[in-house]
């Protein structure tokens, strides 16, 4: 997620802004920049990479000013580069803007600015559109707030923006629409930021800006206006957090924060790809019926959690699009001389986009003639750059080593791709497609509700945290989720956990069942439910302690289980989006009980860039 810092007051704006941006580095970013107003002119410095690159670019230049804005960018439109970094300025450098979010109608606004006003664009970003719009309106407006207001009336999307103008130099104007923004109350200085850590060093009194509000900040005043431009009075919020707590927005660990961000991630990844008629926009990726009919096979290749997402991808792509899919771990794929040619579609899944095993497998597939589509979370990463097409998960930066929101947004991409392919090939009906999209769109709300009552999982973890071996079992899609649940538990609690297809138990593994052996049994697949109950009975007969995961409304399973965790009712194919969450939470609370380093588990890295 991008980071925003704005300052106006008695100190040197550059120093305050750079300091504030450094406090936002934890959010993940790929470029940074600053714009300050000096002698009624705007000076701008920005650079791809870390803030140290920006500081080196600024060098010894004091850039002495009392007004400025700064930004750390997490790329969504346009790869990381100097020119795409924020702030963005209009043609005559009289206005500078920083922005967090996405302007959904930026393409049509850009076209209008080019065709009707002869604007020349420098970058690939949606943000630059805002700078030109504000600059245009500034010509006819007396104040920066009027110009910003006029600009926002033309914009659609989710955004937090802050603007400065050469001809209105002692002022910041900000607008919040679905992206966080706060204002900090200083003495002879005032602040704007995307969240609290950026300002904690300077202020403890802040205004929480509500959706749709505009804030006009000068050295001695902060004024908040509603959507009708009526000034509103706002209670001051006294910050009691320390910096560490503030970075996690009050959550104890990044992993827990990211588990709770999943409804938003799923919603953004899905809904931004649906046009007004509910048809999927595949981000400009051209996969025609002929293309799809030409593929003899699809490979989905990834590592770890991303590989587990691929297992679900296989199931839904084969079911909807009727194209054979093979899923492989990247570290094996390229050493087995895979059968790949021009009739192969190779799908790489990677949160970081830098996993060397996955990158190497992708290169091998390309060498053999495959078309490469990647599902990636980090814009402009190596996997993204080396693919023919990229389909981004919009999970936002994932800080915890254990992948959670990246996984559920990867699943969301699998459903979108499978539906798109099935409809294009005519292997699913429009009616099936429409209903499935509707069912998918209900998931963020269902998950939001579910996440309001996680106390039962924490209580179970407190009872079961000292098990030294834990099994995860399931059938069909529940089997794929079992692998992901097992990986979550082992990587953050260091418990020896093991996942196996429930039907496989009797072929050897059931020999390990002892009285009290903990087994998490996923039983969400209606179509396989009776078989799953048989497997649960097999292990119960050997004394296992069975913690089942089932859909709401299935009371019967309580007879077969020691405890049952219920997920909201949904169709079988979509259950993975919900059933993985109690497993994430169970792993989190078990690891917490065991005093483990949850966000940075031993021996692990967030991105494995070695073989
Ligand atoms: C999952 O929790 C782990 N962090 C790990 O398995 C990870 O999914 C794997 O290393 C792949 O990383 P990537 O998605 O960045 O390629």
């Amino acid at each position: 997620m991008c980071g925003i810092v704005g300052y106006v007051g008695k100190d040197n704006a550059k120093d305050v802004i750079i300091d504030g941006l450094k406090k936002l580095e934890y959010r993940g970013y790929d470029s940074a920049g600053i714009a300050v107003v000096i002698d009624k002119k705007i000076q701008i410095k920005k650079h791809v990479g870390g803030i140290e690159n920006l500081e080196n670019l600024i060098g010894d230049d004091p850039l002495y000013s009392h007004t400025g804005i700064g930004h750390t960018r997490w790329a969504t439109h346009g790869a990381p580069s100097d020119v795409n970094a924020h702030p963005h300025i209009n043609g005559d450098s009289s206005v500078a803007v920083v922005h967090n979010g996405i302007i959904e109608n930026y393409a049509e606004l850009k076209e209008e600015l080019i065709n009707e006003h002869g604007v020349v664009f420098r970058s690939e970003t949606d943000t630059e559109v805002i700078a030109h719009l504000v600059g245009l309106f500034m010509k006819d407006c007396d104040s920066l707030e009027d110009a910003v207001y006029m600009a926002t009336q033309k914009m659609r999307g989710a955004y937090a923006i802050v603007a400065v103008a050469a001809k209105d130099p002692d002022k910041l104007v900000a607008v919040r629409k679905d992206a966080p923004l706060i204002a900090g109350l200083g003495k002879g200085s005032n602040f704007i930021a995307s969240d609290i850590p950026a300002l904690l060093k300077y202020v403890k009194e802040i205004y929480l800006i509500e959706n749709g509000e505009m804030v006009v900040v000068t050295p001695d005043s902060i004024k908040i206006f509603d959507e009708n431009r009526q000034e509103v009075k706002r209670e001051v919020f006294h910050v009691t957090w320390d910096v560490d707590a503030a970075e996690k927005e009050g959550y104890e660990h990044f992993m827990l924060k990211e588990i709770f961000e999943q409804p938003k991630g799923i919603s953004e990844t899905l809904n931004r790809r649906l046009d007004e008629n509910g048809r999927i926009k595949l981000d400009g990726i051209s996969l025609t019926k002929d293309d799809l009919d030409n593929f003899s096979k699809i490979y989905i290749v990834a590592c770890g959690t991303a590989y587990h997402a691929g297992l679900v991808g296989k199931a839904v792509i084969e079911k909807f699009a009727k194209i054979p899919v093979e899923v492989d771990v990247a570290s094996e794929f390229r050493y087995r001389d895979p059968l790949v040619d021009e009739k192969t579609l190779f799908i790489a899944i990677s949160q970081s986009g830098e996993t060397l095993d996955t990158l190497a497998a992708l290169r091998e597939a390309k060498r053999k003639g495959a078309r490469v589509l990647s599902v990636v979370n980090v814009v402009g990463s190596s996997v993204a750059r080396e693919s023919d097409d990229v389909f981004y998960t919009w999970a936002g930066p994932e800080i915890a080593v254990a992948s959670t929101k990246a996984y559920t947004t990867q699943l969301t991409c699998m459903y979108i791709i499978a539906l798109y392919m099935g409809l294009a090939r005519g292997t699913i009906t429009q009616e099936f497609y429409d209903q499935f999209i509707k069912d998918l769109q209900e998931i963020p709300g269902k998950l939001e509700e579910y996440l309001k009552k996680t106390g039962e999982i924490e209580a179970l973890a407190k009872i079961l945290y000292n098990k030294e071996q834990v099994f995860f079992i399931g059938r069909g899609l529940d089997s794929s989720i079992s692998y992901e649940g097992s990986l979550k538990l082992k990587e953050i609690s260091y418990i020896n956990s093991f996942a196996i297809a429930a039907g496989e138990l009797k072929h050897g593994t059931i020999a390990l069942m002892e009285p009290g052996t903990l087994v998490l049994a996923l039983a969400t697949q209606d179509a396989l439910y009776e078989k799953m109950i048989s497997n649960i009975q097999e292990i119960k007969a050997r004394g296992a302690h069975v913690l089942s995961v089932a859909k709401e409304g299935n009371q019967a399973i309580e007879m077969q289980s020691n405890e049952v965790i219920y997920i909201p009712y949904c169709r079988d194919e979509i259950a993975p989006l919900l059933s993985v969450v109690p497993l994430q939470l169970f792993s989190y609370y078990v690891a917490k009980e065991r005093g483990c380093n949850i966000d940075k588990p031993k021996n692990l890295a967030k991105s494995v860039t070695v073989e």
Side-chain angles (χ1 to χ4, degrees):
M1 201 78 73
C2 306
I4 289 174
V5 180
Y7 174 80
V8 58
K10 59 187 183 320
D11 297 329
N12 185 14
K14 175 201 48 123
D15 299 335
V16 175
I17 290 167
I18 293 290
D19 193 53
L21 292 179
K22 286 180 176 176
K23 298 292 187 295
L24 300 180
E25 287 193 283
Y26 71 91
R27 300 161 65 103
Y29 68 104
D30 43 56
S31 58
I34 181 170
V36 293
V37 183
I38 301 176
D39 301 333
K40 294 215 170 210
K41 285 194 178 312
I42 288 178
Q43 288 208 29
I44 192 164
K45 300 281 187 185
K46 55 187 186 175
H47 203 291
V48 69
I51 291 171
E52 63 281 358
N53 293 354
L54 175 61
E55 290 184 293
N56 293 337
L57 178 66
I58 295 169
D60 300 331
D61 185 342
L63 281 180
Y64 198 82
S65 163
H66 295 298
T67 307
I69 51 177
H71 190 267
T72 49
R73 179 177 182 244
W74 170 264
T76 52
H77 287 74
S81 67
D82 296 357
V83 76
N84 285 337
H86 298 205
H88 286 282
I89 49 179
N90 66 327
D92 64 4
S93 304
S94 60
V95 167
V97 170
V98 292
H99 163 228
N100 181 1
I102 286 186
I103 306 304
E104 292 176 356
N105 63 331
Y106 86 96
E108 60 197 79
L109 292 172
K110 184 169 182 173
E111 197 173 336
E112 182 185 317
L113 286 163
I114 292 168
N115 297 337
E116 295 175 24
H117 302 281
V119 168
V120 176
F121 278 82
R122 305 177 181 89
S123 78
E124 308 159 87
T125 67
D126 53 346
T127 307
E128 191 183 346
V129 166
I130 308 170
H132 290 296
L133 280 176
V134 175
L136 207 57
F137 288 120
M138 205 59 197
K139 293 190 171 78
D140 307 323
C141 292
D142 298 332
S143 69
L144 179 54
E145 54 267 37
D146 289 350
V148 169
Y149 177 77
M150 302 283 281
T152 58
Q153 297 312 294
K154 294 180 72 74
M155 293 155 41
R156 274 202 327 271
Y159 53 82
I161 60 176
V162 187
V164 290
K167 78 174 193 180
D168 205 348
D170 298 320
K171 188 183 284 180
L172 308 174
V173 174
V175 177
R176 176 190 174 173
K177 187 168 179 299
D178 298 330
L181 206 59
I182 59 171
L185 269 165
K187 290 183 176 42
S189 301
N190 286 313
F191 305 74
I192 280 275
S194 41
D195 72 6
I196 292 171
L199 305 182
L200 267 185
K201 176 178 172 182
Y202 303 96
V203 295
K204 291 282 187 185
E205 295 194 329
I206 64 166
Y207 288 126
L208 299 173
I209 307 308
E210 303 296 335
N211 229 11
E213 291 180 338
M214 174 185 277
V215 197
V216 180
V217 182
T218 63
D220 49 21
S221 81
I222 294 178
K223 290 186 177 167
I224 302 172
F225 300 88
D226 66 16
E227 286 175 309
N228 303 315
R229 304 199 72 187
Q230 298 306 306
E231 188 169 354
V232 297
K233 287 299 169 210
R234 182 60 40 80
E235 283 298 305
V236 171
F237 176 81
H238 296 273
V239 181
T240 55
W241 296 342
D242 60 24
V243 173
D244 184 53
E247 287 178 357
K248 303 180 184 80
E249 292 172 15
Y251 288 97
E252 193 170 347
H253 296 97
F254 280 111
M255 183 180 177
L256 192 62
K257 171 171 172 277
E258 288 155 9
I259 288 172
F260 278 75
E261 287 175 337
Q262 291 184 111
K264 180 170 180 285
I266 293 167
S267 174
E268 304 218 333
T269 300
L270 173 64
N271 291 318
R272 289 216 188 119
R273 266 96 182 216
L274 298 175
D275 66 17
E276 54 279 0
N277 303 315
R279 298 302 295 261
I280 288 170
K281 302 174 287 183
L282 214 53
D283 289 6
I285 299 169
S286 162
L287 276 176
T288 64
K289 181 179 185 321
D290 288 348
D291 292 335
L292 294 168
D293 290 346
N294 179 50
F295 292 134
S296 60
K297 174 187 274 191
I298 296 175
Y299 273 105
I300 302 179
V301 176
C303 303
T305 288
Y307 166 75
H308 298 151
L311 295 173
V312 175
K314 168 186 169 64
V316 291
I317 291 174
E318 287 190 339
K319 182 170 184 175
F320 297 173
K322 306 296 182 214
I323 301 173
V325 179
E326 190 170 337
V327 192
D328 210 345
V329 290
S331 54
E332 290 293 307
F333 174 79
R334 63 194 172 107
Y335 294 114
R336 59 183 182 85
D337 192 16
L339 300 178
V340 172
D341 59 22
E342 292 69 26
K343 295 169 75 67
T344 304
L345 174 63
F346 179 95
I347 300 178
I349 304 177
S350 176
Q351 188 286 129
S352 63
E354 299 301 342
T355 300
L356 187 57
D357 284 329
T358 306
L359 193 55
L362 178 158
R363 289 168 179 162
E364 173 69 358
K366 276 190 99 165
R367 188 183 65 79
K368 291 193 164 192
R371 178 165 175 184
V372 174
L373 164 64
S374 62
V375 175
V376 178
N377 197 40
V378 179
V379 175
S381 54
S382 303
V383 168
R385 285 199 311 274
E386 297 192 27
S387 300
D388 299 311
D389 300 294
V390 187
F391 200 61
Y392 284 116
T393 49
W394 276 323
E398 188 174 67
I399 310 294
V401 166
S403 190
T404 52
K405 64 177 184 174
Y407 174 70
T408 46
T409 52
Q410 287 161 358
L411 291 189
T412 305
C413 289
M414 292 294 107
Y415 291 123
I416 292 170
I417 290 167
L419 287 165
Y420 179 92
M421 289 181 171
L423 198 62
R425 278 170 51 86
T427 41
I428 58 173
T429 64
Q430 183 68 51
E431 184 190 6
F432 175 90
Y433 169 94
D434 292 342
Q435 184 57 54
F436 201 96
I437 289 282
K438 183 174 166 298
D439 294 342
L440 265 181
Q441 288 181 306
E442 290 176 0
I443 293 301
K446 287 186 173 181
L447 189 49
E448 200 80 63
E449 280 311 301
Y450 176 77
L451 285 169
K452 286 176 183 165
K453 47 185 190 323
T454 59
E456 61 161 347
I457 297 177
E458 185 171 7
L460 283 169
K462 286 184 189 301
I463 299 165
L464 301 169
Y465 74 93
N466 56 356
K467 296 286 184 181
E468 286 318 309
Q469 182 166 51
V470 179
F471 288 79
F472 290 76
I473 65 171
R475 282 179 171 262
L477 287 174
D478 280 339
S479 161
S480 307
I481 297 304
S482 298
Y483 290 113
E484 177 55 15
S486 173
L487 175 61
K488 286 285 106 31
L489 185 64
K490 73 177 76 168
E491 69 176 325
I492 63 171
S493 72
Y494 315 139
I495 288 175
N496 177 15
S497 74
F498 181 93
I500 185 168
E504 266 296 280
L505 275 168
K506 56 188 175 296
H507 300 289
T509 305
I510 200 162
L512 294 177
M513 285 301 141
E514 302 285 349
T517 301
L518 176 58
V519 180
L520 276 82
L522 278 82
T524 72
Q525 299 297 294
D526 300 345
L528 296 165
Y529 183 72
E530 293 312 318
K531 296 285 184 197
M532 191 59 201
I533 288 296
S534 303
N535 296 138
I536 291 174
Q537 287 166 342
E538 278 166 15
I539 56 176
K540 280 295 278 173
R542 288 157 179 83
H545 182 122
V546 177
L547 169 50
S548 296
V549 177
K551 290 176 188 171
E552 275 168 3
N554 173 3
Q555 265 69 40
I557 198 167
E558 292 174 17
M559 299 291 289
Q560 317 288 344
S561 315
N562 293 76
E563 298 93 9
V564 181
I565 296 173
Y566 286 104
I567 61 169
Y569 191 83
C570 65
R571 63 191 300 163
D572 280 5
E573 303 94 331
I574 295 181
L577 275 177
L578 294 173
S579 60
V580 74
V581 177
L583 305 187
Q584 294 167 344
L585 289 165
F586 181 75
S587 303
Y588 171 82
Y589 288 119
V590 165
K592 190 177 169 193
E593 281 302 310
R594 294 168 70 98
C596 299
N597 181 343
I598 291 171
D599 284 335
K600 295 189 174 67
K602 67 179 181 183
N603 309 335
L604 296 180
K606 183 58 186 168
S607 175
V608 183
T609 55
V610 293
E611 272 211 282

